[in-house]
Amino acid sequence: MTAVYEHDVLVIGSGAAGLTLALHLSADYRVALLSKAELNQGSTYWAQGGMAAVLHNRDTVDSHVADTLAAGAGLCHRDAVEFTVKNSRHCVEWLVSQGVDFDLRQSADQRGREFHLTREGGHSHRRIIHAADRTGRAISEVLSDRAMASDNITIYTHRTAVDLVVGDGRCQGAYILDQTTGHVELFQAKSVVLATGGASKVYLYTSNPDGASGDGIAMAWRAGCRVANLEFNQFHPTCLYHPEAKSFLVTEAIRGEGGRLLLPDGHRFMPDFDSRGELAPRDVVARAIDHEMKRLGADCLFLDISHQSKDFLRSHFPTIMERCAELGIDISQEPIPVVPAAHYTCGGILVDQHSRTDLSGLYAVGESSCTGLHGANRMASNSLLECIVYAESAANHIIENMHRIAAPSIAPAWDESQVTDSDEDVVISHNWDELRRFMWDYVGIVRTDKRLQRALHRVDLLQTEIADYYGNYKVSNDLLELRNLAMVAELMIRCAISRQESRGLHYTLDYPQSMPVARDTILQPGVSPP
């Protein structure tokens, strides 16, 4: 017997976007909030640097908009950028009202206090509000506490989404795997929100936690929604290089405070690539590091912040200092070994300003969506801002339209009568490893047509094997993530093949120049790309 749950709104994902949306909904609505693991385990929690916002009188909305447009390499949608930036101060005020404790600094005249702001790559001003180097953690913990204390929000942990339920031309819920029992449940709702994050686990090396498997993007695609710009995968230039430092990011704020990137011989190389040096946009810095590593045959390069005092580092970067110390690295005395790693999925499910997808009743917020804000390269610290802005916009639209929506029709129960338990899970782990390795080798920081075609051939074969496995065995979290990752990998590859130019995060040796006019790459289910 399939367990059935009924709510007004189903939110799949428990990061900043999902939590913000749930908290903005009226207390009159019954909200289900689903988390793949425990709360505070997703990408939001691990975000170090901060959130971009116009908060100082030396900064302006126009300046933040211009910086974002420049970083996005001509592909940002100006209306999305302006909408996001104009709402940035309001979002900070809302987070503070919820209890987020951002770092403050004493004002020059000692009569008041103001936020401590730092600067990151692509920004012309200090506009990154933060809580030391644990900003995501501070936001995630406060919003999680608020959600757990809410009477109208029911939180379900260790739930993995399988597929969306579509009936009468709209999304009416989703089939959800309960990881603790191994059974698939049915969650029905008038409105469904995908807040499932990005897909950086498709790459061998990534800064993301294990759950970043593109679940929402894959489910929306299977349900008939368009996706856009998935060729733009941002590689964070500086992740800690150490055999025991799995997925540990070294925040860009270190470079904002004067950190220098060095070759193994101590030479500072970024000025050779860009006049902005270490504060060039992430795509420029990541390609420069990749180039120098390949040129020298080096396993890593180095980031040096040792000119700052130990007290300064302990105050501003406690997480990084502690983690490096655990590995025998004193960042006040020696440089940090770093490598680029997959960090952020700039494209995603195509949405409008209210976060609506192509499927009625289905919304997408956060990294799983494509709002037009990031263009061909996300500017540092705009992602948390996007989560808060678009989650509130989606919540407002849901509230305004809830009275028009009929209760969902009864969906069929999940049928697993024809499948068995698998005794061949080695197939899942093998295919997972193969997928992530060829995506890293063929669809990485630098691409070619030949590499992309090889990747497409391999992912087609993998998906055939995965479909056969999915049809014969009971679903598991690992199988669902593999199925979704393979699907999103194919979409990334097809987007990359379609873009016959180099722009932003998509750099190909076969087309090193940019086209005169920037255009989105949009894929539609059932329609072959041009």
Side-chain angles (χ1 to χ4, degrees), residues 4-11 25 28-34 151-156 159 172-173 185-192 402 405-408:
V4 180
Y5 299 89
E6 295 182 358
H7 296 82
D8 295 310
V9 183
L10 170 62
V11 182
L25 291 172
D28 297 330
Y29 299 144
R30 295 168 300 141
V31 181
L33 181 76
L34 273 56
D151 292 334
N152 69 308
I153 300 173
T154 304
I155 299 171
Y156 299 84
R159 297 306 206 279
Q172 298 192 344
E185 305 164 328
L186 172 61
F187 281 75
Q188 295 200 277
K190 293 181 178 180
S191 296
V192 178
M402 183 66 75
I405 304 172

Short mmCIF file of all heavy atoms in Angstrom, two decimals, residues 4-11 25 28-34 151-156 159 172-173 185-192 402 405-408:
data_model
loop_
_atom_site.label_atom_id
_atom_site.label_comp_id
_atom_site.label_asym_id
_atom_site.label_seq_id
_atom_site.Cartn_x
_atom_site.Cartn_y
_atom_site.Cartn_z
N VAL A 4 0.08 7.95 1.20
CA VAL A 4 -0.33 9.16 0.48
C VAL A 4 -0.39 10.33 1.46
O VAL A 4 -0.98 10.22 2.54
CB VAL A 4 -1.70 8.97 -0.20
CG1 VAL A 4 -2.10 10.25 -0.93
CG2 VAL A 4 -1.66 7.79 -1.17
N TYR A 5 0.26 11.44 1.06
CA TYR A 5 0.24 12.65 1.88
C TYR A 5 -0.36 13.78 1.03
O TYR A 5 -0.05 13.90 -0.15
CB TYR A 5 1.66 13.04 2.30
CG TYR A 5 2.36 12.00 3.14
CD1 TYR A 5 3.11 10.99 2.53
CD2 TYR A 5 2.27 12.02 4.53
CE1 TYR A 5 3.76 10.03 3.30
CE2 TYR A 5 2.93 11.07 5.30
CZ TYR A 5 3.67 10.08 4.67
OH TYR A 5 4.30 9.12 5.43
N GLU A 6 -1.20 14.60 1.65
CA GLU A 6 -1.84 15.70 0.94
C GLU A 6 -1.52 17.02 1.63
O GLU A 6 -1.69 17.15 2.85
CB GLU A 6 -3.35 15.49 0.87
CG GLU A 6 -3.76 14.26 0.05
CD GLU A 6 -5.26 14.11 -0.05
OE1 GLU A 6 -5.98 14.95 0.54
OE2 GLU A 6 -5.71 13.16 -0.71
N HIS A 7 -1.05 17.99 0.82
CA HIS A 7 -0.72 19.32 1.34
C HIS A 7 -1.17 20.35 0.31
O HIS A 7 -1.50 20.01 -0.83
CB HIS A 7 0.78 19.44 1.59
CG HIS A 7 1.30 18.53 2.65
ND1 HIS A 7 1.61 17.21 2.39
CD2 HIS A 7 1.57 18.74 3.96
CE1 HIS A 7 2.05 16.64 3.51
NE2 HIS A 7 2.03 17.54 4.48
N ASP A 8 -1.12 21.61 0.70
CA ASP A 8 -1.41 22.68 -0.25
C ASP A 8 -0.20 22.94 -1.14
O ASP A 8 -0.33 23.15 -2.35
CB ASP A 8 -1.78 23.97 0.50
CG ASP A 8 -3.08 23.83 1.26
OD1 ASP A 8 -4.07 23.39 0.66
OD2 ASP A 8 -3.09 24.14 2.48
N VAL A 9 1.00 22.93 -0.53
CA VAL A 9 2.23 23.19 -1.27
C VAL A 9 3.27 22.14 -0.90
O VAL A 9 3.48 21.85 0.29
CB VAL A 9 2.79 24.60 -0.96
CG1 VAL A 9 4.04 24.87 -1.79
CG2 VAL A 9 1.73 25.68 -1.22
N LEU A 10 3.89 21.58 -1.91
CA LEU A 10 4.98 20.62 -1.72
C LEU A 10 6.28 21.29 -2.15
O LEU A 10 6.42 21.69 -3.31
CB LEU A 10 4.72 19.37 -2.56
CG LEU A 10 5.87 18.35 -2.66
CD1 LEU A 10 6.23 17.79 -1.29
CD2 LEU A 10 5.51 17.22 -3.64
N VAL A 11 7.22 21.42 -1.23
CA VAL A 11 8.53 22.01 -1.51
C VAL A 11 9.57 20.91 -1.45
O VAL A 11 9.78 20.32 -0.39
CB VAL A 11 8.88 23.13 -0.51
CG1 VAL A 11 10.23 23.75 -0.87
CG2 VAL A 11 7.79 24.20 -0.49
N LEU A 25 5.14 31.53 2.90
CA LEU A 25 3.76 31.12 2.66
C LEU A 25 2.89 31.40 3.88
O LEU A 25 3.36 31.36 5.01
CB LEU A 25 3.70 29.64 2.30
CG LEU A 25 4.30 29.27 0.94
CD1 LEU A 25 4.36 27.76 0.77
CD2 LEU A 25 3.50 29.90 -0.21
N ASP A 28 -1.97 29.80 6.77
CA ASP A 28 -3.21 29.08 6.46
C ASP A 28 -2.96 27.86 5.56
O ASP A 28 -3.86 27.03 5.40
CB ASP A 28 -4.20 30.01 5.75
CG ASP A 28 -4.63 31.16 6.64
OD1 ASP A 28 -4.65 30.98 7.86
OD2 ASP A 28 -4.92 32.25 6.10
N TYR A 29 -1.77 27.79 4.96
CA TYR A 29 -1.49 26.72 4.01
C TYR A 29 -0.72 25.58 4.69
O TYR A 29 0.17 25.82 5.52
CB TYR A 29 -0.66 27.23 2.83
CG TYR A 29 -1.36 28.31 2.04
CD1 TYR A 29 -0.64 29.36 1.49
CD2 TYR A 29 -2.73 28.29 1.84
CE1 TYR A 29 -1.27 30.37 0.76
CE2 TYR A 29 -3.37 29.28 1.11
CZ TYR A 29 -2.63 30.32 0.58
OH TYR A 29 -3.26 31.29 -0.14
N ARG A 30 -1.05 24.37 4.29
CA ARG A 30 -0.31 23.20 4.77
C ARG A 30 0.85 22.96 3.81
O ARG A 30 0.65 22.70 2.63
CB ARG A 30 -1.23 21.98 4.80
CG ARG A 30 -2.38 22.08 5.79
CD ARG A 30 -3.39 20.98 5.55
NE ARG A 30 -3.94 21.07 4.21
CZ ARG A 30 -4.21 20.02 3.43
NH1 ARG A 30 -3.96 18.78 3.86
NH2 ARG A 30 -4.72 20.18 2.23
N VAL A 31 2.06 23.05 4.33
CA VAL A 31 3.27 22.97 3.51
C VAL A 31 4.08 21.73 3.90
O VAL A 31 4.35 21.51 5.08
CB VAL A 31 4.14 24.23 3.68
CG1 VAL A 31 5.39 24.15 2.81
CG2 VAL A 31 3.33 25.49 3.36
N ALA A 32 4.46 20.94 2.88
CA ALA A 32 5.39 19.83 3.09
C ALA A 32 6.76 20.25 2.58
O ALA A 32 6.89 20.69 1.43
CB ALA A 32 4.92 18.58 2.36
N LEU A 33 7.77 20.16 3.42
CA LEU A 33 9.14 20.49 3.03
C LEU A 33 9.97 19.21 3.07
O LEU A 33 10.13 18.60 4.13
CB LEU A 33 9.73 21.53 3.98
CG LEU A 33 11.16 21.98 3.67
CD1 LEU A 33 11.16 22.96 2.50
CD2 LEU A 33 11.80 22.65 4.89
N LEU A 34 10.49 18.79 1.93
CA LEU A 34 11.23 17.53 1.83
C LEU A 34 12.72 17.78 1.75
O LEU A 34 13.18 18.67 1.01
CB LEU A 34 10.78 16.75 0.58
CG LEU A 34 9.55 15.84 0.73
CD1 LEU A 34 8.35 16.60 1.24
CD2 LEU A 34 9.22 15.17 -0.61
N ASP A 151 4.04 26.07 12.64
CA ASP A 151 2.93 25.14 12.81
C ASP A 151 2.41 24.61 11.47
O ASP A 151 1.80 23.54 11.44
CB ASP A 151 1.78 25.81 13.56
CG ASP A 151 2.13 26.12 15.02
OD1 ASP A 151 3.00 25.41 15.56
OD2 ASP A 151 1.57 27.07 15.57
N ASN A 152 2.62 25.35 10.39
CA ASN A 152 2.03 24.94 9.11
C ASN A 152 3.01 24.22 8.19
O ASN A 152 2.64 23.79 7.10
CB ASN A 152 1.45 26.15 8.37
CG ASN A 152 2.53 27.10 7.87
OD1 ASN A 152 3.38 27.51 8.66
ND2 ASN A 152 2.47 27.46 6.60
N ILE A 153 4.28 24.07 8.60
CA ILE A 153 5.29 23.40 7.78
C ILE A 153 5.62 22.05 8.40
O ILE A 153 6.05 21.97 9.56
CB ILE A 153 6.58 24.25 7.66
CG1 ILE A 153 6.26 25.61 7.01
CG2 ILE A 153 7.63 23.51 6.84
CD1 ILE A 153 7.45 26.56 7.00
N THR A 154 5.42 20.99 7.63
CA THR A 154 5.81 19.65 8.06
C THR A 154 7.06 19.25 7.31
O THR A 154 7.09 19.28 6.07
CB THR A 154 4.70 18.62 7.78
OG1 THR A 154 3.48 19.06 8.42
CG2 THR A 154 5.08 17.26 8.32
N ILE A 155 8.11 18.89 8.02
CA ILE A 155 9.39 18.55 7.42
C ILE A 155 9.54 17.03 7.35
O ILE A 155 9.36 16.33 8.34
CB ILE A 155 10.54 19.17 8.23
CG1 ILE A 155 10.41 20.71 8.23
CG2 ILE A 155 11.90 18.76 7.65
CD1 ILE A 155 11.36 21.41 9.17
N TYR A 156 9.88 16.55 6.16
CA TYR A 156 10.13 15.13 5.93
C TYR A 156 11.59 14.97 5.50
O TYR A 156 11.99 15.48 4.44
CB TYR A 156 9.21 14.58 4.83
CG TYR A 156 7.73 14.70 5.13
CD1 TYR A 156 7.04 15.88 4.86
CD2 TYR A 156 7.02 13.63 5.67
CE1 TYR A 156 5.69 16.00 5.11
CE2 TYR A 156 5.66 13.74 5.93
CZ TYR A 156 5.00 14.92 5.64
OH TYR A 156 3.65 15.03 5.90
N ARG A 159 14.16 11.89 2.25
CA ARG A 159 13.23 11.65 1.16
C ARG A 159 13.91 12.05 -0.15
O ARG A 159 14.46 13.15 -0.26
CB ARG A 159 11.94 12.46 1.31
CG ARG A 159 11.08 12.16 2.54
CD ARG A 159 10.72 10.70 2.67
NE ARG A 159 9.49 10.43 3.38
CZ ARG A 159 9.34 10.41 4.70
NH1 ARG A 159 10.37 10.69 5.49
NH2 ARG A 159 8.17 10.11 5.25
N GLN A 172 0.69 17.96 -9.97
CA GLN A 172 -0.17 17.74 -8.82
C GLN A 172 0.54 17.03 -7.66
O GLN A 172 -0.10 16.63 -6.69
CB GLN A 172 -1.40 16.92 -9.24
CG GLN A 172 -2.25 17.62 -10.27
CD GLN A 172 -3.60 16.95 -10.46
OE1 GLN A 172 -3.81 15.80 -10.06
NE2 GLN A 172 -4.52 17.65 -11.08
N GLY A 173 1.86 16.88 -7.77
CA GLY A 173 2.58 16.24 -6.68
C GLY A 173 3.81 15.52 -7.18
O GLY A 173 4.33 15.82 -8.27
N GLU A 185 6.44 6.81 -1.72
CA GLU A 185 5.22 7.44 -1.24
C GLU A 185 4.68 8.43 -2.28
O GLU A 185 5.41 8.85 -3.18
CB GLU A 185 5.51 8.20 0.07
CG GLU A 185 6.15 7.33 1.15
CD GLU A 185 6.78 8.15 2.26
OE1 GLU A 185 7.28 9.27 1.98
OE2 GLU A 185 6.79 7.67 3.40
N LEU A 186 3.44 8.80 -2.13
CA LEU A 186 2.81 9.78 -3.01
C LEU A 186 2.51 11.04 -2.22
O LEU A 186 1.77 10.99 -1.23
CB LEU A 186 1.52 9.21 -3.61
CG LEU A 186 0.65 10.18 -4.42
CD1 LEU A 186 1.41 10.72 -5.62
CD2 LEU A 186 -0.64 9.49 -4.86
N PHE A 187 3.11 12.16 -2.65
CA PHE A 187 2.81 13.46 -2.06
C PHE A 187 2.01 14.26 -3.07
O PHE A 187 2.48 14.49 -4.19
CB PHE A 187 4.09 14.21 -1.70
CG PHE A 187 4.74 13.76 -0.43
CD1 PHE A 187 5.45 12.57 -0.38
CD2 PHE A 187 4.64 14.53 0.73
CE1 PHE A 187 6.06 12.15 0.80
CE2 PHE A 187 5.25 14.11 1.91
CZ PHE A 187 5.96 12.93 1.94
N GLN A 188 0.80 14.66 -2.71
CA GLN A 188 -0.03 15.44 -3.61
C GLN A 188 -0.20 16.85 -3.07
O GLN A 188 -0.28 17.07 -1.85
CB GLN A 188 -1.40 14.77 -3.81
CG GLN A 188 -1.29 13.42 -4.51
CD GLN A 188 -2.59 12.97 -5.13
OE1 GLN A 188 -3.44 12.41 -4.46
NE2 GLN A 188 -2.75 13.23 -6.43
N ALA A 189 -0.26 17.84 -3.99
CA ALA A 189 -0.36 19.24 -3.58
C ALA A 189 -0.91 20.07 -4.73
O ALA A 189 -0.81 19.69 -5.91
CB ALA A 189 1.01 19.76 -3.17
N LYS A 190 -1.46 21.22 -4.40
CA LYS A 190 -1.96 22.14 -5.42
C LYS A 190 -0.80 22.82 -6.17
O LYS A 190 -0.92 23.12 -7.35
CB LYS A 190 -2.85 23.19 -4.77
CG LYS A 190 -4.15 22.65 -4.20
CD LYS A 190 -4.99 23.78 -3.60
CE LYS A 190 -6.32 23.27 -3.07
NZ LYS A 190 -7.13 24.37 -2.49
N SER A 191 0.28 23.08 -5.46
CA SER A 191 1.46 23.69 -6.07
C SER A 191 2.69 22.90 -5.63
O SER A 191 2.79 22.49 -4.47
CB SER A 191 1.61 25.15 -5.65
OG SER A 191 0.53 25.93 -6.12
N VAL A 192 3.63 22.72 -6.57
CA VAL A 192 4.86 21.98 -6.29
C VAL A 192 6.05 22.87 -6.61
O VAL A 192 6.08 23.55 -7.65
CB VAL A 192 4.93 20.68 -7.12
CG1 VAL A 192 6.24 19.94 -6.86
CG2 VAL A 192 3.73 19.79 -6.82
N MET A 402 -3.70 30.62 -5.14
CA MET A 402 -4.10 29.38 -4.48
C MET A 402 -5.61 29.15 -4.54
O MET A 402 -6.09 28.02 -4.73
CB MET A 402 -3.62 29.37 -3.04
CG MET A 402 -3.94 28.09 -2.28
SD MET A 402 -3.06 26.64 -2.93
CE MET A 402 -1.40 26.94 -2.29
N ILE A 405 -7.10 27.18 -7.56
CA ILE A 405 -6.62 25.84 -7.88
C ILE A 405 -7.49 24.79 -7.21
O ILE A 405 -7.72 24.83 -5.99
CB ILE A 405 -5.15 25.67 -7.44
CG1 ILE A 405 -4.28 26.76 -8.07
CG2 ILE A 405 -4.64 24.29 -7.82
CD1 ILE A 405 -2.87 26.78 -7.54
N ALA A 406 -7.95 23.86 -8.01
CA ALA A 406 -8.76 22.76 -7.48
C ALA A 406 -7.85 21.74 -6.79
O ALA A 406 -6.65 21.66 -7.06
CB ALA A 406 -9.54 22.10 -8.60
N ALA A 407 -8.44 20.95 -5.91
CA ALA A 407 -7.69 19.89 -5.25
C ALA A 407 -7.20 18.89 -6.29
O ALA A 407 -7.88 18.64 -7.30
CB ALA A 407 -8.57 19.19 -4.22
N PRO A 408 -6.01 18.31 -6.11
CA PRO A 408 -5.47 17.35 -7.10
C PRO A 408 -6.38 16.13 -7.26
O PRO A 408 -7.02 15.68 -6.29
CB PRO A 408 -4.11 16.96 -6.51
CG PRO A 408 -3.80 18.01 -5.50
CD PRO A 408 -5.10 18.52 -4.98
#
